[in-house]
Amino acid sequence: MSKKNILKFPKNFYWGASTSAHQVEGGNFNDWTEWEKKSSKSKVQNAKLENWSNYILENYPNPLQDNNYISGQACDHYTRYKEDFALAKSLNQNAHRFSIEWSRIEPEQGKFNQKEIEHYREVLLSLKERGLEPFVTLYHWTLPIWLAEKGGWLNPKTPYYFDRYVKIISENLFNEVDFWITINEPLVYAGDAYLKGFFPPQKKSIFKYFKVLNILAKAHQLAYKSLHLIDLDCQVGIAKNNIHFKNIFLAHYFWNKYFLNKIKKEQDFIGLNYYFHHRFFKGRKLLVSDLGWGFYPQGIYYLLKDLKKYKKPIYITENGLADIKDTKRIRFIKDHLKYIYQAIKEGVDVRGYFYWSLLDNFEWNKGFWPRFGLVEIDYKTMKRKIRPSAYEYAEICRENGVQLRKQIIK
Ligand code: FCB
């Protein structure tokens, strides 16, 4: 890479990729695994009514198969994590975001499984050995069965159960972790599970939706205090999915600010998950991912400028696209990075970027077919194969900078 026209990022910038336990580990037993078994047939029926492009249907596992919707062995990351971290390391990454699976730690109410805690200690040590700074998510959408049976996030006691689990994790692992993300995307989860009926427990009630948001905020607040009591110096935040809404102030306020404002006093950093522009967009045709999500890299710039008001460090905890052919991925990454760079130049304190995802994985109610990975998974053999875009992202990580394709920075 010629050294000319490289946009250099700040010193000590974190470069990495994200995953979540349920989407990659395999062998889980939680509210999702049980729901997947019950709902896979109807998902196939619904999928048959959709218009699939050939290039998706030609690739295994396709959306018309039952097993597309069952997480099962996922990427078998639970046993192959060392191999996966070695890949991340070989791609010059220096940080990694992953989640701890609550249902493994507390399979029965109040009974904590020390063996599983030790598993995650090994995971953390294996990251550290390779110079990958861990960012640890404590709740990424899956619940132990016993808790789902008690009403999950609709139960006002759940924040206390969460806090107890968080304390156990942090008492055991605080030496290994500096960055904690309590909750992943509270609004996406609450909306899909309690308003739209896409995620278990598939409710459709605005009343329940708001109740769940309040309970999630409470859970974060309790966990924030506990994490700091155990380790004064740790950094705690959430991963917040924000959408760029053009000229829709109310939507912007509600989707992007409402929850962050609730936890204003209890966050040391903001994790930003950015995927798209608002969905009511009807203007210019945008480049789209395999999921039909339109590219709008400028959006991240506007969102970052707006988040500056919170006066907290910001980490991009997710940004990525489903692209089985890997023809658009590197452009997507570079274009977003250019706008992140521009925001940094204008004083926004962005300290890290995590591509979603290190590996192809189980994309929730959509199943296995969308391919977000820097690394491709062959689900029959579990073989890993680095995609070409991953090598280009590796260059960016190595250079701590991105090469300009065309001049966008004034
Ligand atoms: C985000 C989720 C993540 C993944 C990506 C594609 O909303 O946090 O788990 O599914 O979308």
Side-chain angles (χ1 to χ4, degrees), residues 143 147-158 189 194 215:
L143 288 173
L147 185 52
E149 282 169 357
K150 284 178 180 293
W153 291 108
L154 268 179
N155 184 339
K157 287 195 193 139
T158 298
Y189 169 76
Y194 290 93
I215 290 178

Side-chain angles (χ1 to χ4, degrees), residues 91-92 145 170-171 312 325 332 375:
L91 292 168
N92 304 325
I145 303 277
S170 141
E171 277 160 5
K312 300 284 176 198
K325 294 207 161 163
F332 177 96
V375 176

Side-chain angles (χ1 to χ4, degrees), residues 50-147:
E50 279 181 49
N51 219 349
W52 296 95
S53 65
N54 285 340
Y55 86 97
I56 288 169
L57 294 180
E58 277 157 15
N59 289 281
Y60 178 85
N62 81 43
L64 304 183
Q65 292 174 356
D66 213 46
N67 59 355
N68 177 62
Y69 300 100
I70 296 187
S71 55
Q73 278 314 106
C75 310
D76 193 27
H77 177 74
Y78 187 81
T79 55
R80 295 172 196 246
Y81 65 89
K82 288 188 183 147
E83 177 187 348
D84 295 335
F85 297 160
L87 289 174
K89 168 84 188 151
S90 79
L91 292 168
N92 304 325
Q93 297 176 17
N94 63 5
H96 182 71
R97 177 183 170 217
F98 73 99
S99 77
I100 292 182
E101 176 62 30
W102 187 354
S103 62
R104 289 185 186 274
I105 304 294
E106 193 180 1
E108 285 174 61
Q109 183 175 355
K111 294 202 175 134
F112 293 89
N113 185 333
Q114 196 60 35
K115 235 180 94 204
E116 293 289 1
I117 296 174
E118 294 314 314
H119 166 80
Y120 288 108
R121 189 192 310 284
E122 292 298 317
V123 167
L124 287 162
L125 292 174
S126 149
L127 284 171
K128 294 216 141 176
E129 253 167 45
R130 294 175 171 82
L132 295 157
E133 180 68 37
F135 279 62
V136 181
T137 312
L138 291 156
Y139 174 69
H140 201 125
W141 297 356
T142 46
L143 288 173
I145 303 277
W146 62 266
L147 185 52

Side-chain angles (χ1 to χ4, degrees), residues 18-20 23 97 140-141 184-185 188-189 192 199 239 241 273 275-276 291 293 318 320-322 356-357 361-364 372:
S18 296
T19 64
S20 90
Q23 295 177 274
R97 177 183 170 217
H140 201 125
W141 297 356
N184 181 65
E185 298 190 346
V188 175
Y189 169 76
D192 282 1
F199 290 0
N241 175 299
N273 292 1
Y275 289 90
F276 40 66
L291 278 166
W293 299 356
E318 287 181 31
L321 86 165
W356 180 274
S357 173
N361 61 56
F362 182 73
E363 178 52 23
W364 304 111
F372 279 89

